[in-house]
Amino acid sequence: MLYRRALGFARSLTIKADQDRAMTKTFKIGDHVSWNSEAGRVRGKIIKVHKRAINYKGHIHRATPDEPQYEIKSDKTDHVALHKAGVLRRLG
């Protein structure tokens, strides 16, 4: 009985993961987005989409065609940051 319950739970997690992948956010160059930082909410425009790992400011940022990293330039400070789609919000 316990084994069946565990199997059912594992299947529900697999289905949930598949649904999450199907609903992945995608952005393109020029999109206006916001993200949360230590200083609060930041807004900026996507200037480049990276689909392979990139060495940026001494750190390797992992990216794939299915899960790209977005290079974003802040509206206020011209600071450039890299983020995955999960932390970004599209602005009108």
Side-chain angles (χ1 to χ4, degrees), residues 1-70:
M1 176 79 169
L2 194 56
Y3 176 73
R4 283 187 190 160
R5 196 174 297 159
L7 267 179
F9 180 70
R11 277 192 203 118
S12 68
L13 287 178
T14 303
I15 291 168
K16 176 74 173 133
D18 290 342
Q19 289 170 344
D20 288 346
R21 262 187 249 116
M23 295 174 21
T24 303
K25 296 185 247 179
T26 57
F27 301 95
K28 61 184 184 307
I29 294 173
D31 283 352
H32 201 225
V33 296
S34 71
W35 67 98
N36 201 17
S37 78
E38 301 85 22
R41 205 96 194 131
V42 181
R43 297 167 161 237
K45 277 202 175 159
I46 294 177
I47 57 174
K48 192 165 186 180
V49 179
H50 298 277
K51 296 184 179 182
R52 289 186 296 184
I54 179 173
N55 186 344
Y56 185 74
K57 295 184 179 179
H59 298 281
I60 300 293
H61 292 264
R62 307 263 180 242
T64 65
D66 292 335
E67 204 174 350
Q69 289 268 1
Y70 297 95

Side-chain angles (χ1 to χ4, degrees), residues 33 71 82 90:
V33 296
E71 193 169 329
L82 282 175
R90 189 181 322 271

